[in-house]
Amino acid sequence: MNNFKKMEQFGNRTAVYADREYSYSEMVEISDAICGNVGERTLVFCLCSNNKESLFGYVGFIRGGVVPVLLDASIHIDRLRRLVHLYKPAYIWASSNNQDLSKTMDSSFVYGEYSLYKCPTHFQHNLHEHLALLLTTSGSTGSPKFVRLSYENIFENAISIAKYLDIHENEKPITTLPMNYSYGLSIINSHFICGATVVVTGASIMSKEFWNLCKEQQVTTFGGVPFVYEMLDRMKFEELNLPSLKKLTQAGGKLSETLSHKFAHVCNQKGIQFFTMYGQTEATARMTYLPYEKNLEKAGSIGIAIPGGELILQDDKGNKITAPHLIGELIYKGPNVSLGYAESLFDLSKKDENKGILRTGDMAYFDEDGYFFISGRIKRMIKVYGNRISLDDVEAFLHEHGHDCICAGSDDQMYIYTLRDDYVQIKKIVKEKLNLKGFKIMRIEEIPRNHYGKILYSDLPKLG
């Protein structure tokens, strides 16, 4: 199953707008030329930015059966070298301006501002026949741990997304997320299989350039993680005049209840369909969605399973939960569940280890109507003085009371980090309203986040 091999059917329709319009025929020709210079089925590192070169390289590799490893173009050279040592790619598709690569490797092909660098050490990879793509989990781009995705994973998920979002050939999404991030990539995949036009830009949503491009190209849709919606809120999204915008999607973490309500309300007023979604790279991208008609009534919910998927809750003893409002681990079943992980090139020949079942690591419950709600991460639960505490719940509670805080910790010690001088008020709320002990509060200048806007709890300063 490789839907990118059918792209020729869209002919002269515009596939990409970057510096100009590129038709599907032109994209296919360029993409196949890039992949053709790799030749055999092997492993290629693709250092991605939101540009036509990264996109065409990815399309070519998937079409040609070459397995790309999508990495952020800004990855530190030491991390890149470590990954090259562990995986021994045959080539690296990257910017021609990458001094570290151009000094040590020969370029065998150039397109636009990218070069195909030939790695000096040749290694004959043993790649599983269904292996299509390697993506990092949403942690560090330098981690050696990748998610192994098959062609079926990629395209079954893309078909499902296109179905529930009702994507058609006249859609025009714009890139707001890195394409090496599963959410950003899923937007590209689900629109390309429908013959839509992807507007490619590296411009930030905080820039005039981005919004001018939206108006000029009559963009119809874009997606964002919670951090993007926090920025849109500060920019007073409700006052922006974008008549072409018809759909907004949100995933990559839980949007606060307040912003969830606000964007649902604003979008409903503007005639924009607002979809909240939930997913993990281990499931290619998406597992659930909240239908836009329910975005006010069920605000805060991750919704229902995507077409072709199934959600199950299990209690501590492994029993299936069948009654509403009982919390258990969320388990997902579907054809988009990845083959498993890889931590070195020797894992690339492994078979499907997940068998279509993913234990998400999230605690959840469903209501009387069958809509699911995340209550926290299993790993974000700690015990303080014998009491089981959800760090996510404490964060949400403090946010409701106007405190911009994040929580971390381990058993018998909870840490609360705040951006303001509100130590006294936080201490009072936690003691009196939550009746908690064993916590410390610290002021920090900014919340550490990765490229996708997700909070890096591991990078928070340790409290004594």
Side-chain angles (χ1 to χ4, degrees), residues 214-255:
C214 278
K215 287 176 183 173
E216 174 200 313
Q217 289 301 311
Q218 297 188 313
V219 162
T220 62
T221 178
F222 66 79
V225 295
F227 185 61
V228 167
Y229 282 90
E230 288 165 19
M231 294 298 103
L232 289 174
D233 187 43
R234 288 177 198 169
M235 292 169 62
K236 299 193 184 306
F237 174 75
E238 62 274 16
E239 295 176 12
L240 289 178
N241 182 29
L242 291 167
S244 64
L245 197 62
K246 300 301 177 195
K247 282 176 202 159
L248 287 182
T249 62
Q250 184 272 313
K254 189 176 180 181
L255 194 62

Side-chain angles (χ1 to χ4, degrees), residues 184-463:
L185 191 64
S186 73
I187 293 171
I188 291 165
N189 291 336
S190 57
H191 284 83
F192 272 168
I193 65 167
C194 297
T197 302
V198 177
V199 179
V200 180
T201 178
S204 160
I205 62 158
M206 299 301 287
S207 69
K208 279 186 178 178
E209 180 191 344
F210 177 86
W211 297 107
N212 288 340
L213 190 59
C214 278
K215 287 176 183 173
E216 174 200 313
Q217 289 301 311
Q218 297 188 313
V219 162
T220 62
T221 178
F222 66 79
V225 295
F227 185 61
V228 167
Y229 282 90
E230 288 165 19
M231 294 298 103
L232 289 174
D233 187 43
R234 288 177 198 169
M235 292 169 62
K236 299 193 184 306
F237 174 75
E238 62 274 16
E239 295 176 12
L240 289 178
N241 182 29
L242 291 167
S244 64
L245 197 62
K246 300 301 177 195
K247 282 176 202 159
L248 287 182
T249 62
Q250 184 272 313
K254 189 176 180 181
L255 194 62
S256 73
E257 200 99 357
T258 307
L259 279 186
S260 223
H261 267 105
K262 184 170 182 179
F263 274 93
H265 185 67
V266 169
C267 286
N268 287 352
Q269 279 189 324
K270 285 175 170 276
I272 296 171
Q273 296 176 357
F274 177 55
F275 292 86
T276 303
M277 309 182 302
Y278 162 81
Q280 291 179 4
T281 306
E282 288 83 351
T284 310
R286 307 274 66 81
M287 290 183 274
T288 77
Y289 75 104
L290 181 63
Y292 73 91
E293 306 95 332
K294 299 282 187 181
N295 59 27
L296 274 173
E297 180 192 342
K298 302 290 185 183
S301 169
I302 60 167
I304 54 178
I306 63 171
E310 182 187 358
L311 296 172
I312 295 167
L313 290 184
Q314 273 187 2
D315 64 19
D316 291 344
K317 294 175 183 174
N319 300 315
K320 184 178 177 181
I321 293 173
T322 55
H325 300 287
L326 295 177
I327 294 174
E329 184 182 2
L330 186 64
I331 294 166
Y332 174 83
K333 294 182 179 181
N336 51 310
V337 174
S338 65
L339 304 173
Y341 293 113
E343 297 199 46
S344 77
L345 58 88
F346 301 108
D347 295 327
L348 304 184
S349 60
K350 284 184 176 177
K351 296 179 180 178
D352 183 359
E353 296 175 312
N354 289 327
K355 310 289 188 204
I357 299 171
L358 179 66
R359 302 191 77 90
T360 66
D362 283 321
M363 304 299 287
Y365 65 90
F366 56 82
D367 66 11
E368 293 84 357
D369 301 318
Y371 284 80
F372 285 76
F373 295 77
I374 299 291
S375 58
R377 288 285 294 169
I378 291 174
K379 290 180 182 176
R380 295 268 295 151
M381 302 291 290
I382 61 172
K383 272 192 175 179
V384 180
Y385 292 103
N387 295 315
R388 208 168 136 91
I389 293 167
S390 164
L391 295 170
D392 294 324
D393 283 353
V394 177
E395 268 184 21
F397 186 81
L398 289 169
H399 282 178
E400 283 172 23
H401 285 77
H403 297 283
D404 201 0
C405 302
I406 57 173
C407 300
S410 53
D411 285 356
D412 289 331
Q413 189 68 72
M414 181 171 72
Y415 306 117
I416 301 172
Y417 300 86
T418 176
L419 296 172
R420 301 201 301 268
D421 293 318
D422 48 2
Y423 174 95
V424 176
Q425 299 96 310
I426 291 170
K427 188 175 181 180
K428 190 176 179 188
I429 288 171
V430 175
K431 274 192 167 183
E432 293 179 4
K433 303 209 175 198
L434 295 176
N435 196 26
L436 294 179
K437 300 173 184 175
F439 63 91
K440 291 185 178 180
I441 304 168
M442 180 182 185
R443 189 182 189 279
I444 54 175
E445 290 304 314
E446 63 177 349
I447 295 170
R449 297 179 186 271
N450 65 12
H451 289 294
Y452 320 135
K454 284 194 175 181
I455 296 169
L456 295 171
Y457 288 98
S458 60
D459 285 3
L460 288 163
K462 298 294 181 280
L463 295 170

